[in-house]
Amino acid sequence: MDLLSRKYAIQVICVIGTRGPSRYNEIEAAFGDVSSSTLSVRLDELTEAELLTREQYAEIPPRVEYDLTAEGIELCELLLPLLQWVEKRNQNKT
């Protein structure tokens, strides 16, 4: 719970869950206002917690993709209804 309560952790899981394997810039673009350091730390923490995989390809320029592990997929499936509820609730307030 400590990790999931950190800024952008839940959103990162859901962004990658809906997009599939994603590069850093694609994830960053989904947020708009996230700082690079915060996003990098969150990706590292989620990878360390085995919710994400990080695959680095031997290409020039270097390419790194993040994807959900089996546990990450399970978590995403549980979180998506919560985010949909929040979005619906926010729409009803405007």
Side-chain angles (χ1 to χ4, degrees), residues 31-64:
F31 292 101
D33 65 342
V34 65
S35 75
S36 292
S37 61
T38 300
L39 182 57
S40 293
V41 168
R42 210 59 67 235
L43 288 168
D44 289 344
E45 291 172 341
L46 292 167
T47 301
E48 187 177 311
E50 299 181 356
L51 296 171
L52 296 180
T53 59
R54 181 185 186 274
E55 186 158 354
Q56 185 168 346
Y57 296 89
E59 298 175 355
I60 297 178
R63 176 170 60 115
V64 175

Side-chain angles (χ1 to χ4, degrees), residues 18-90:
T18 56
R19 296 179 67 119
S22 302
R23 297 176 78 170
Y24 180 91
N25 289 340
E26 296 169 334
I27 299 166
E28 185 177 41
F31 292 101
D33 65 342
V34 65
S35 75
S36 292
S37 61
T38 300
L39 182 57
S40 293
V41 168
R42 210 59 67 235
L43 288 168
D44 289 344
E45 291 172 341
L46 292 167
T47 301
E48 187 177 311
E50 299 181 356
L51 296 171
L52 296 180
T53 59
R54 181 185 186 274
E55 186 158 354
Q56 185 168 346
Y57 296 89
E59 298 175 355
I60 297 178
R63 176 170 60 115
V64 175
E65 287 185 347
Y66 294 90
D67 201 4
L68 296 179
T69 63
E71 284 187 350
I73 292 169
E74 183 180 2
L75 176 60
C76 181
E77 290 171 353
L78 295 168
L79 292 173
L80 282 174
L82 174 63
L83 291 179
Q84 290 168 349
W85 176 81
V86 169
E87 184 176 316
K88 181 181 174 183
R89 189 165 188 261
N90 287 340

Side-chain angles (χ1 to χ4, degrees), residues 1-24:
M1 283 306 294
D2 180 51
L3 175 57
L4 293 179
S5 66
R6 295 179 188 165
K7 195 169 190 174
Y8 301 113
I10 291 174
Q11 294 92 327
V12 167
I13 293 290
C14 292
V15 165
I16 296 172
T18 56
R19 296 179 67 119
S22 302
R23 297 176 78 170
Y24 180 91

